[in-house]
Amino acid sequence: MSPRHKALLDEAARPYRGASNSAWRFARSKLRFDPVFSALLRRGCLPDRGTLLDLGCGQGLLLALLVASREQFGRGQWPPGWPPPPLHLTQQGIEFDPYRAGVAQHALAGQAQVTRQDLRDADFPPCSAVVLLDVLMYLEERDQLRVLQKAAAALGPGGLLLLREADADAGFAFRVTRWSERLLEIMRGRLRTRLHYRGAAEWTRLLEALGFSVAVEPMSAGTPFANMLFVCQKRDRG
């Protein structure tokens, strides 16, 4: 990791100090060791304009990273070789958990809007990009479809959906992922939570049926997990 890359992640985590030490430590660790956050910037995945809707945004780490990226880029301290970050992208997040939503609202005050809502009931505003990172597994299959249908309706032609989920067909790596998620749920006191997974091929078929062109790539670098990133562009049905 280059010094400027590390500085970017540290700057993104800094606003969480004002929420709590645990929130800051989680943000710092998650941003460093989960490859998806840096990958979205390094690969220039996100649009420069419009509205980004981060569904199930948790503490708002992606939103905080985008705020920090604009500031660092403006100071001329951007990681070499990376494309410019989104500079004109309005950011909104939706999170159901009251603690996480509160942390996000505190850390992102004046920078991004985060509302506490249930994705199954929330209305999604028109947007140019939707992000769902490790969220749909917590919903039953019919609710997964409902959320994706609403996301597709909120996006205009050419709109971007970024979905990360575990590949249930990935053998041992998936079993590691499932065991890890189950342990996390036990640590959170949610002993009866049932998680709902699909294979990468099933996710692809579902997304294509909703009007997206889909590219799939592994998104578990440096971890033992079976996570896949689905980069989906809404087709113009006309």
Side-chain angles (χ1 to χ4, degrees):
M1 182 182 296
S2 72
R4 288 188 176 180
H5 184 186
K6 180 178 181 298
L8 171 63
L9 302 182
D10 288 343
E11 184 167 340
R14 192 170 298 121
Y16 293 94
R17 282 185 177 274
S20 69
N21 283 334
S22 61
W24 171 72
R25 287 194 297 269
F26 174 80
R28 190 167 180 265
S29 175
K30 185 72 170 174
L31 287 167
R32 285 192 178 190
F33 297 110
D34 189 330
V36 71
F37 297 104
S38 295
L40 295 183
L41 287 176
R42 187 187 298 113
R43 302 179 190 185
C45 293
L46 296 169
D48 183 61
R49 297 180 180 274
T51 297
L52 168 70
L53 186 61
D54 190 350
L55 300 178
C57 66
Q59 292 187 183
L61 297 183
L62 176 60
L63 306 179
L65 181 61
L66 293 176
V67 171
S69 71
R70 289 198 299 263
E71 295 174 353
Q72 193 178 52
F73 184 81
R75 295 194 300 266
Q77 298 172 342
W78 194 236
W82 288 25
L87 300 177
H88 309 287
L89 192 61
T90 301
Q91 300 172 119
Q92 296 184 33
I94 298 177
E95 172 57 40
F96 178 70
D97 182 83
Y99 170 75
R100 294 177 183 177
V103 168
Q105 289 165 348
H106 186 280
L108 294 163
Q111 301 288 346
Q113 178 185 359
V114 176
T115 58
R116 181 176 176 259
Q117 297 181 80
D118 190 320
L119 296 182
R120 295 168 294 183
D121 303 323
D123 294 325
F124 300 165
C127 51
S128 55
V130 173
V131 176
L132 281 154
L133 300 179
D134 310 325
V135 172
L136 293 184
M137 63 182 171
Y138 294 103
L139 303 180
E140 294 184 6
E141 283 84 354
R142 64 178 181 272
D143 293 322
Q144 293 175 351
L145 176 59
R146 182 179 177 186
V147 168
L148 288 173
Q149 287 172 331
K150 292 195 296 181
L155 290 165
L160 178 70
L161 170 66
L162 295 170
L163 171 70
R164 187 174 72 169
E165 288 290 330
D167 178 7
D169 296 328
F172 180 73
F174 171 67
R175 292 195 291 274
V176 172
T177 305
R178 184 176 58 190
W179 294 334
S180 175
E181 292 293 344
R182 182 59 183 157
L183 178 60
L184 285 174
E185 287 300 285
I186 292 173
M187 293 172 62
R188 292 164 180 160
R190 300 197 288 249
L191 303 182
R192 297 184 179 181
T193 300
R194 182 185 173 195
L195 302 179
H196 303 271
Y197 299 98
R198 301 174 189 256
E202 184 180 355
W203 279 119
T204 299
R205 289 193 297 269
L206 175 59
L207 292 163
E208 289 176 341
L210 290 172
F212 292 100
S213 58
V214 182
V216 187
E217 58 183 285
M219 193 49 65
S220 297
T223 76
F225 305 129
N227 294 325
M228 306 295 288
L229 181 67
F230 300 83
V231 182
C232 314
Q233 188 171 37
K234 186 174 178 181
R235 296 190 296 265
D236 186 350
R237 293 186 181 274

